[in-house]
Amino acid sequence: MKPRSKASIILSKINTTQNKIIMKTMLLCLFLSISFAIVSERTGWLEIDWKIIFIPALLVLQIIIIGTALKNRYKKH
């Protein structure tokens, strides 16, 4: 049997079901933010500053991290 490299061990720890859900949630939020910005820009309804387009995805990540931390803190043993 071939020994596993450090990179494959790290990737196997990162590639969990919960991390996949978090990444999909962040990508969806980013996609929705960009879509909203493009539609607003085309219609002239709202002027979007493109530098702040990533803020909703970061807010979702913070909510997920805080929720997970609270869930782990108050988990019944």
Side-chain angles (χ1 to χ4, degrees), residues 14-75:
I14 292 173
N15 199 12
T16 62
T17 305
Q18 185 160 1
N19 288 347
K20 287 180 185 177
I21 292 170
I22 291 171
M23 290 303 292
K24 287 179 183 177
T25 305
M26 287 182 57
L27 287 174
L28 176 66
C29 187
L30 189 62
F31 172 73
L32 290 173
S33 298
I34 291 172
S35 300
F36 178 75
I38 290 172
V39 168
S40 297
E41 190 77 24
R42 299 276 171 143
T43 60
W45 177 65
L46 189 63
E47 186 67 32
I48 299 292
D49 186 9
W50 289 93
K51 290 182 256 181
I52 61 170
I53 201 72
F54 298 104
I55 289 178
L58 292 174
L59 288 174
V60 167
L61 178 63
Q62 288 178 348
I63 290 169
I64 291 171
I65 290 172
I66 291 170
T68 304
L70 288 173
K71 185 170 57 173
N72 289 339
R73 179 176 172 91
Y74 296 111
K75 188 185 294 184

